[in-house]
Amino acid sequence: MPFASLLGRLALWAALYVACAYLSFSLDDPVTQVSFVWFPAGVAVAAFFAMPRGAWAALVAALFAADLGLSALTGHPLVPSAWLAGLSLASTLGIAWLSQRYAQGRDDLHAVLGWVAVTFVVSALAAVAGSAGLALIKHEVLWEAVSDLAWIWWAATVTGVLFGVSVLMGFMGFRTVEAPPGPIGRTVGIAAWLLLAAMTWYVFGVHRPSTSEAPLLLGLACIPLALATVATLSGGNRMGSLAVLTMAAIVIYHSNAGRGPFFLRGFLPGEPLLLVQCYLVSVAMLQVFVRVLTRGIRRPRTADAGGRETLYRLDLASGTIVWDAPPDARPGPGTLDEVLRQVHPDDRQGLRERLRAADGTPGLDHPFPFRLATAPDQWTTVVDLNRGAMMGPDGAFIIGSWRLPTPHHGA
């Protein structure tokens, strides 16, 4: 990855991390400094998923510096802040690495289930270690309260990861390339998004609802979930993520003021916020499973079975490519660099990372459309079908194929 591009992406992730940390700091406990929802955890895991592994160390440094900088600006003590930031980033790094390892060779559903399981386990370990360490550092935290603190830490991290990754990966694309929605789908998606915003504002804007109002409000709270699903199915992953993000912003705004169907009279302190966490995670995860279960309905039209395929073998150490036939009836590029020079600049980085992924990066088994130059300023869409990395006597190599458009004869 070019140095300038790396710096730009690191800056963007750090800025998003700081913005989410600032929001979480406004929801933290004044004594323990542990937030009830730690949204930066989801940002960090999504960043690790999106960045190549060679940039992970720089990403950790950037996020750690951003976290400490914000803690200093908001008046949080340095030592506890450094402990919280370091352990939080270590746990998100572990979640990303273990999830990717588990996802190797598995379908989307198993990859998602593995990611959820890893998130629960790693977050629990980090919560126990972090709470005990915080009790040693801060004398205000009593050892008798460590179990309660660990529970809050675990719930905050799990909520942040499951919600944040679901939304961000929806914006970036979840292990696939989808075709853009048509005019009707886009219109339905926008309408569902607007209705969702209005309904969420109404349901969660009620202050301390009475016992008689609660059943109706809880029933109405299910309507935004259905509308978010409609937005995802009609408008695509980005529209679905926008709907979930809008919904979360409204829910957090009202919940922070003690409003909404979960703030019933008689609830113990902390219980309404726990219900809010479960609600937001349920909404986000529902959209993830909608994307997984409907994957393949909306595919790029270039990825149909009507095109011609040509196999290739790419040596990852030398970059040499051997073709079983010349692609597009022309002399095939002999190296990866020659291939990339013929690829559209907007698609070049994605194909480079895909053809250099020897570590089991998720998504290699899914079609990857890109544009290939056939003449000056003329492009044709080719679909790369990567079979994954293998080990041979001379090192790692990739076996894959390109699906080429079928030439039309006549007029």
Side-chain angles (χ1 to χ4, degrees):
M1 178 182 297
F3 183 70
S5 176
L6 174 62
L7 284 181
R9 294 176 70 177
L10 290 177
L12 287 175
W13 282 116
L16 183 59
Y17 188 91
V18 166
C20 291
Y22 184 80
L23 174 62
S24 294
F25 281 161
S26 66
L27 305 173
D28 69 1
D29 184 276
V31 175
T32 64
Q33 294 178 239
V34 175
S35 300
F36 290 103
V37 181
W38 187 239
F39 291 112
V43 174
V45 174
F48 288 125
F49 282 159
M51 296 285 283
R53 290 196 179 182
W56 279 14
L59 180 60
V60 169
L63 298 182
F64 184 76
D67 198 332
L68 286 188
L70 181 60
S71 297
L73 290 175
T74 53
H76 289 78
L78 179 61
V79 175
S81 297
W83 171 250
L84 293 173
L87 193 60
S88 177
L89 285 172
S91 65
T92 54
L93 179 62
I95 290 171
W97 186 80
L98 290 172
S99 299
Q100 287 191 347
R101 293 288 297 177
Y102 177 80
Q104 295 180 29
R106 291 180 170 86
D107 58 27
D108 291 345
L109 181 59
H110 285 88
V112 169
L113 294 176
W115 162 60
V116 172
V118 166
T119 298
F120 274 72
V121 174
V122 174
S123 298
L125 296 175
V128 173
S131 302
L134 202 59
L136 290 173
I137 296 171
K138 292 179 66 68
H139 299 297
E140 298 96 326
V141 180
L142 302 177
W143 282 101
E144 292 80 3
V146 166
S147 59
D148 292 336
L149 180 58
W151 167 255
I152 295 173
W153 184 316
W154 177 82
T157 302
V158 169
T159 302
V161 171
L162 297 185
F163 179 82
V165 173
S166 300
V167 172
L168 290 173
M169 296 307 289
F171 280 121
M172 293 185 293
F174 179 73
R175 302 186 75 192
T176 186
V177 178
E178 65 169 356
I184 296 179
R186 190 178 297 110
T187 301
V188 173
I190 293 174
W193 170 54
L194 294 175
L195 287 173
L196 174 146
M199 180 60 69
T200 306
W201 187 271
Y202 169 75
V203 171
F204 285 86
V206 178
H207 182 71
R208 295 289 180 180
S210 63
T211 305
S212 59
E213 294 176 304
L216 175 60
L217 289 177
L218 290 174
L220 293 177
C222 297
I223 296 178
L225 276 76
L227 291 172
T229 303
V230 172
T232 300
L233 291 174
S234 302
N237 290 343
R238 289 182 176 87
M239 179 61 70
S241 289
L242 178 61
V244 173
L245 191 60
T246 302
M247 199 173 157
I250 296 173
V251 170
I252 291 172
Y253 173 76
H254 286 303
S255 298
N256 200 36
R259 295 189 291 266
F262 302 127
F263 287 85
L264 298 176
R265 295 179 179 88
F267 274 11
L268 296 176
E271 288 183 346
L273 191 56
L274 178 61
L275 293 175
V276 171
Q277 289 175 323
C278 295
Y279 181 78
L280 293 179
V281 170
S282 300
V283 174
M285 292 304 300
L286 175 61
Q287 306 318 306
V288 171
F289 285 106
V290 167
R291 296 168 195 160
V292 169
L293 296 177
T294 59
R295 200 183 79 81
I297 296 176
R298 297 165 55 91
R299 289 286 187 82
R301 295 180 181 178
T302 56
D304 58 18
R308 297 171 294 117
E309 287 192 21
T310 177
L311 296 173
Y312 66 82
R313 182 185 189 276
L314 168 62
D315 186 278
L316 289 170
S318 64
T320 303
I321 300 181
V322 178
W323 305 87
D324 74 329
D328 205 18
R330 295 181 292 114
T335 66
L336 177 59
D337 290 338
E338 293 177 3
V339 168
L340 295 175
R341 281 196 290 268
Q342 299 182 27
V343 174
H344 193 280
D346 293 343
D347 304 331
R348 193 170 295 156
Q349 182 63 25
L351 186 63
R352 179 187 288 110
E353 293 180 2
R354 178 182 174 88
L355 295 181
R356 279 298 187 187
D359 51 10
T361 301
L364 292 182
D365 56 334
H366 303 315
F368 182 85
F370 64 94
R371 287 159 290 183
L372 185 71
T374 55
D377 297 325
Q378 294 184 11
W379 307 93
T380 185
T381 300
V382 178
V383 179
D384 179 70
L385 303 172
N386 196 320
R387 312 302 186 193
M390 307 178 188
M391 290 299 298
D394 299 324
F397 64 94
I398 287 178
I399 292 292
S401 66
W402 281 5
R403 180 171 293 162
L404 311 167
T406 303
H408 298 281
H409 301 285

